Amino acid sequence: MSDPSAHSIPMPARPLANVDVVIFSVLDDALRVLLVRRPEAIGEPYPGRWALPGGFVDVERDRSLLDCALRKLSEKTGVLAPYLEQLGCWGDATRDPRGWSTTHVYFALIPGAEVVLQGGGGVADVAWLGVDSSARARRLAFDHAEIIDAALERLRGKVEYTSLPAFLVPEPFTLPQLQRMYEAVLGRRVDKSGFRTRMLAQDFLEPVGPIEGASKRPAMGFRLKDRSRATYFPRTFSPRG
Amino acid sequence: MSDPSAHSIPMPARPLANVDVVIFSVLDDALRVLLVRRPEAIGEPYPGRWALPGGFVDVERDRSLLDCALRKLSEKTGVLAPYLEQLGCWGDATRDPRGWSTTHVYFALIPGAEVVLQGGGGVADVAWLGVDSSARARRLAFDHAEIIDAALERLRGKVEYTSLPAFLVPEPFTLPQLQRMYEAVLGRRVDKSGFRTRMLAQDFLEPVGPIEGASKRPAMGFRLKDRSRATYFPRTFSPRG
DNA sequence: TTAATAGTGTCTATGAGACAGTATCAA
DNA sequence: TTGATACTGTCTCATAGACACTATTAA
C-alpha cells in the first residue's frame, strides 16, 4: 500500500461505495427476503423506510467486497457460511441523495431455521417480508425494489437448472423437503418421480441415513457433497411449460 | 443532488471506482479479447503492461456505470451498440497500488468486421489477443487475467444455452456463419442439422433474403428479431458430453 | 461434370413428464 | 386396518445427436 500523495497523477472524485445483500429464505413455505428499517437520524436518506441490509464499504475494516458482504450478513442474521454470490452493481448519480453512489449487491440463500434476527448496528428493525406483493407494496429505500426484482429474477431463473434450493433447507434434509423448497421458489408443483430421478442423477447429494419423526414413514436424509458450489443440470425443469 | 456538507453524518473514506470492459470478438475463426497498453507516465501503475480497456468513473461526465462502460467501449472501438452485460465487480485493498480499489466489469460482444481500433486516450497501443494462451502468457496489469478468466467462463457457459454468438457476426448472416461463431467460442464442432433445427425452433431469427457471393450456393440471410437481448434455449448444447 | 457449400430426411436412444402403483411407518 | 407419506415402475412422446442424403450454385 502506497501513499497516494507520492503519485504525480491526481486521483479523481470518487463515488460513494456501498455493499447490499439480498438475503432469501423460505419460511412457512413462502419465499421471503430480509429487510431492515432505515435509521431516523438527521441526514440519513429514506428515514424509517425498509431497505436491504447493507451500507458503506469500510476501507479500514473490509479487505474486499466479499468480506464486506459477509460482515453485513452476519451482523443481521448471525449466519456465517451461507450460499453467497454476487448479483451485480448499481451505480449512478441520482440513486442516493448524498451523491454519485455505487452499490455492490450480493445475494444469499440461508435455511430459515438457522436465522436469528438481530437488530442494532444502526437499524431500528429487521423483518422477513414475502416477495410477492408485500415487498413491492411498501415503498423501499433507494432503488432497492428494482434490486430485489433483479435478485428474484436471477434466483427463479437459476432454480430451473441448478441445485440452489438445497441451500434453503437445513441439513440433513429429505428429498420431499428439498422438493418443497423448489416448489416454494418456483411457485408451482413439480412431479415427485421426475424430481427424485433428476436430483439423484446429478450425484451431488450424499445419503446420511434415514430421518425419523418428520412424517409417517422415515425418509432418507441427504446432505450436499460440496457446500461451496451449486450443481448445474443439463436441462431446465419444464421445457414443455 | 445535495451538498454533502449539509448532512450531519460524516461520509466515510471512499475506494477508487473503475469501470473495465472485456470486449470479445471472433477474428480469423478465433475468439479474441481487446487489450490496451498501460501508459508509461510517472505514477501510473503497471506502465507498459497490457490491460483491459477501462479507467476511473468520471462522476462529472458519466451518469451511470453503464454510461461509463459504453463511453470506454466507443473510445476504443468506435462501436456504439454492442451486446453489453455486466460481468461483476472486483474490489479489495490490494488490487491497485494506489489504494482500496473497485472495478465494475462489463463484457461486450462485437462483430469483428465492425471494429476500428483506435489508440489515444492515454493508451500507447491497442490490440486483439487470442484468449487461449497468449493472453495468459503475457503478464497483464492488475487482476485483469483473473477477470478475463471469469469473462471467458461466463461466455463459454452461456453460449451452451443462449444465442450470444449472434452478436459476434455482422448482420445479415447465414446459419453456417452463425454456426462458425458457436464453434469458435465453444472450441468444438457442432452438428449442422441439429444446429439448424435448434436455431430455427427458437424463433429469434428473421430471414431477410438470400446472400450471394459468400460461397458456391447462396444461403439465406438472417438478422435478429430483437437485438436488445439474447435468447435462452431450454437445453444446453450437448448433454451427452 | 465436378467441387463446394446449403439445406433436409431419417433413425435411434435418451430421458422427461405423467401417473399408477408399492412400501413402510404411526396410530 | 387405516391413513399418510416415501418411494418405484412403466408408458409415452418429444427431441437431440448422428449421419446420410439431396439441392443449388460456380467453374
Side-chain angles (χ1 to χ4, degrees):
Chain A
M1 201 67 55
S2 57
D3 178 5
S5 63
H7 295 284
S8 61
I9 305 212
M11 293 292 102
R14 308 175 183 194
L16 294 165
N18 295 270
V19 166
D20 293 303
V21 190
V22 184
I23 307 172
F24 287 112
S25 195
V26 170
L27 288 86
D28 305 322
D29 285 331
L31 183 64
R32 299 177 189 278
V33 61
L34 187 73
L35 295 180
V36 302
R37 208 188 285 276
R38 296 282 306 164
E40 307 267 3
I42 302 294
E44 288 282 357
Y46 300 98
R49 298 270 278 276
W50 290 102
L52 293 170
F56 293 124
V57 173
D58 184 337
V59 297
E60 304 297 333
R61 210 168 148 194
D62 301 314
R63 289 191 316 169
S64 67
L65 292 172
L66 183 63
D67 269 4
C68 182
L70 285 168
R71 176 170 65 83
K72 290 177 187 307
L73 188 118
S74 74
E75 284 174 0
K76 293 293 179 300
T77 68
V79 173
L80 289 177
Y83 177 84
L84 193 66
E85 79 171 46
Q86 202 179 83
L87 176 65
C89 322
W90 277 254
D92 61 47
T94 61
R95 61 181 298 277
D96 189 319
R98 292 167 293 189
W100 221 108
S101 159
T102 63
T103 185
H104 309 80
V105 184
Y106 287 77
F107 106 62
L109 305 177
I110 62 178
E114 291 184 7
V115 183
V116 181
L117 292 189
Q118 301 177 359
V123 294
D125 208 354
V126 175
W128 289 104
L129 278 90
V131 295
D132 289 330
S133 56
S134 53
R136 240 164 305 271
R138 305 168 194 247
R139 305 193 329 281
L140 299 185
F142 304 107
D143 46 6
H144 288 187
E146 175 190 342
I147 291 174
I148 290 175
D149 282 343
L152 257 181
E153 187 179 342
R154 167 85 64 96
L155 175 61
R156 292 218 167 104
K158 287 188 94 163
V159 163
E160 295 280 358
Y161 60 94
T162 67
S163 66
L164 281 193
F167 295 94
L168 290 167
V169 58
E171 293 180 330
F173 52 83
T174 68
L175 284 177
Q177 284 170 344
L178 180 59
Q179 185 174 347
R180 273 191 286 280
M181 293 297 124
Y182 273 90
E183 292 173 340
V185 178
L186 291 173
R188 66 169 192 264
R189 306 300 303 275
V190 301
D191 181 77
K192 183 172 46 171
S193 175
F195 182 82
R196 299 181 66 86
T197 309
R198 185 186 177 90
M199 292 300 131
L200 295 175
Q202 283 311 117
D203 196 40
F204 70 103
L205 295 174
E206 192 166 32
V208 293
I211 297 179
E212 323 198 0
S215 69
K216 302 287 184 173
R217 172 181 170 182
M220 180 58 70
F222 292 91
R223 63 182 191 82
L224 294 177
K225 283 186 176 174
D226 181 1
R227 274 199 77 81
S228 71
R229 70 191 68 254
T231 296
Y232 286 71
F233 305 142
R235 305 173 61 149
T236 56
F237 243 97
S238 253
R240 316 200 75 257
Chain B
M1 200 72 53
S2 57
D3 178 4
S5 64
H7 295 284
S8 61
I9 304 211
M11 293 292 102
R14 308 176 183 193
L16 294 164
N18 294 271
V19 166
D20 293 304
V21 189
V22 184
I23 306 171
F24 287 112
S25 195
V26 170
L27 287 87
D28 305 322
D29 286 333
L31 183 64
R32 298 178 190 277
V33 61
L34 187 74
L35 295 181
V36 301
R37 207 188 286 277
R38 295 281 308 164
E40 307 266 3
I42 303 293
E44 288 282 357
Y46 300 99
R49 298 270 278 277
W50 291 101
L52 293 170
F56 294 124
V57 173
D58 184 338
V59 297
E60 304 297 332
R61 211 168 147 196
D62 302 313
R63 288 191 316 170
S64 66
L65 292 173
L66 183 63
D67 270 3
C68 182
L70 285 169
R71 175 169 66 85
K72 289 175 188 307
L73 187 118
S74 75
E75 283 174 0
K76 293 293 179 299
T77 68
V79 173
L80 289 177
Y83 176 84
L84 194 66
E85 80 171 45
Q86 203 180 82
L87 176 65
C89 323
W90 277 255
D92 61 48
T94 61
R95 62 180 298 277
D96 190 319
R98 293 167 292 189
W100 222 108
S101 159
T102 63
T103 184
H104 309 81
V105 184
Y106 286 78
F107 105 64
L109 305 177
I110 63 178
E114 291 184 8
V115 183
V116 181
L117 291 189
Q118 300 177 0
V123 295
D125 208 354
V126 175
W128 289 104
L129 278 91
V131 296
D132 289 332
S133 57
S134 54
R136 239 164 305 271
R138 305 167 194 247
R139 304 190 337 278
L140 299 186
F142 304 107
D143 46 5
H144 287 186
E146 176 190 343
I147 291 174
I148 290 174
D149 282 344
L152 258 181
E153 187 180 341
R154 167 84 63 97
L155 175 61
R156 292 218 167 104
K158 287 188 94 162
V159 162
E160 296 279 358
Y161 60 93
T162 67
S163 66
L164 280 193
F167 296 94
L168 290 168
V169 59
E171 292 179 330
F173 52 83
T174 68
L175 285 176
Q177 284 171 344
L178 180 59
Q179 184 175 347
R180 273 191 286 281
M181 293 297 125
Y182 273 89
E183 291 172 341
V185 178
L186 291 173
R188 66 168 192 266
R189 307 298 304 276
V190 302
D191 181 77
K192 181 172 49 170
S193 175
F195 182 82
R196 298 181 66 86
T197 310
R198 185 186 177 89
M199 292 299 131
L200 296 175
Q202 283 310 117
D203 196 40
F204 70 105
L205 295 174
E206 193 167 31
V208 293
I211 297 179
E212 323 198 0
S215 70
K216 304 286 184 175
R217 170 179 172 183
M220 180 58 70
F222 292 91
R223 64 182 191 83
L224 294 177
K225 284 185 176 175
D226 180 3
R227 273 200 78 80
S228 71
R229 69 191 69 252
T231 297
Y232 286 69
F233 305 142
R235 304 175 62 150
T236 57
F237 242 95
S238 253
R240 317 201 74 257

